[in-house]
Amino acid sequence: MTLNHITKKYGETTALDDVSLDIEEGKITAVLGESGAGKTTLLNVIAGNLPFEGTVEGVGKVSYLFQSPKLLPNLTVEGNLKFVLEKENYKNIALMLRKVGLEGKENSYPKQLSGGERQRVAIARAFLFPHEILLMDEPFSSLDLSLKKSLLALTVELWRERKETVVFVTHDVHEAAVLAHRAVLLHRGKVTDDIPIAGEPLRDFFSRPAEENTLVHALMRE
Ligand code: ADP
């Protein structure tokens, strides 16, 4: 997928300022930046949710994973998954629920689940929904560290099965270092750095102090 000269303004605010970017197929690209850098706007541009200047080529069908699970409260776990699927794909639900560790919870309602379980349903839904590209908007940001680690691991496990193209927005350098093949730094609507990350996800950087890790250092420099 290619973004060519993308500019997005909200009135006086320039959220994206002439951003051009090649997103590699089959890889996880992290878009890293502080709050207000334009990360969510970039995802919305890719998803075609907004008018903008410039062009996006080769997107295909998009699936989304958000910071909050956004489940429908009046539908069961299974109902929430069926809601986004065509009937012929219902058969994939049981296996996916097993993979995300929610076997036996298909008839539970969101309010009967823990926060982590709800986010697992959202992850299941994002991967089940037929797509060519997965957009993730800080899905691990509000989680405590142990839950964050287990859901990062789960996400990588599911990603490995089909190696889909992922664009992953985060303000957390450690998450980018653990999950992504590449980190694109966004600052005030401009791409200020583009750093390849060696090796394959999942990398266990949470267990080491950031100072010891040259990659996290590189990602942190301004
Ligand atoms: P990030 O996701 O990196 O926090 P956003 O893409 O949400 O950044 O926002 C980028 C800039 O655009 C910010 O200055 C923000 O205030 C502004 N912005 C985002 N959405 C809107 C909107 N709907 N209306 C006006 N300004 C917006």
Side-chain angles (χ1 to χ4, degrees):
M1 177 181 58
T2 307
L3 311 183
N4 300 304
H5 301 291
I6 304 293
T7 295
K8 173 64 194 174
K9 293 181 180 155
Y10 300 101
E12 298 288 291
T13 307
T14 302
L16 294 174
D17 187 1
D18 195 24
V19 170
S20 292
L21 208 54
D22 269 322
I23 304 284
E24 266 180 285
E25 272 176 42
K27 303 279 185 193
I28 303 175
T29 299
V31 177
L32 192 59
E34 75 277 32
S35 178
K39 304 183 298 296
T40 299
T41 301
L42 190 73
L43 289 191
N44 279 318
V45 162
I46 293 171
N49 295 336
L50 290 170
F52 58 88
E53 296 165 46
T55 56
V56 180
E57 291 163 35
V59 185
K61 205 168 180 184
V62 163
S63 185
Y64 248 115
L65 181 60
F66 299 98
Q67 184 166 357
S68 69
K70 294 183 193 284
L71 303 180
L72 295 166
N74 57 337
L75 293 180
T76 62
V77 168
E78 189 177 46
N80 268 280
L81 298 179
K82 283 183 172 172
F83 190 77
V84 301
L85 294 176
E86 303 287 342
K87 266 213 172 76
E88 74 251 27
N89 292 324
Y90 286 1
K91 61 181 184 305
N92 302 327
I93 289 176
L95 178 60
M96 179 58 83
L97 284 175
R98 210 175 316 143
K99 287 181 190 165
V100 301
L102 289 176
E103 208 175 8
K105 299 277 183 185
E106 32 293 89
N107 296 321
S108 299
Y109 286 88
K111 67 174 187 303
Q112 299 171 311
L113 302 175
S114 69
E117 287 172 334
R118 283 198 282 270
Q119 197 59 340
R120 283 172 195 273
V121 181
I123 291 171
R125 182 182 56 193
F127 278 91
L128 274 173
F129 183 72
H131 61 278
E132 279 88 42
I133 177 159
L134 176 59
L135 304 179
M136 305 201 295
D137 196 351
E138 309 240 18
F140 314 106
S141 292
S142 60
L143 309 172
D144 66 58
L145 187 59
S146 71
L147 192 54
K148 183 182 289 206
K149 281 182 178 177
S150 72
L151 294 192
L152 277 163
L154 173 64
T155 302
V156 170
E157 222 172 275
L158 294 172
W159 171 80
R160 271 203 211 108
E161 290 178 10
R162 287 202 309 148
K163 303 245 167 108
E164 54 239 302
T165 310
V166 178
V167 181
F168 167 51
V169 154
T170 182
H171 63 267
D172 185 330
V173 287
H174 294 94
E175 285 183 18
V178 167
L179 195 63
H181 292 95
R182 166 193 184 200
V184 173
L185 271 61
L186 203 58
H187 182 68
R188 295 191 180 172
K190 281 186 181 293
V191 173
T192 55
D193 219 333
D194 195 338
I195 302 171
I197 306 177
E200 281 297 305
L202 190 77
R203 304 180 198 82
D204 184 18
F205 287 158
F206 283 109
S207 56
R208 301 186 216 162
E211 298 74 41
E212 285 178 19
N213 193 287
T214 49
L215 171 66
V216 170
H217 254 316
L219 293 175
M220 277 176 160
R221 76 168 186 258
E222 270 288 331

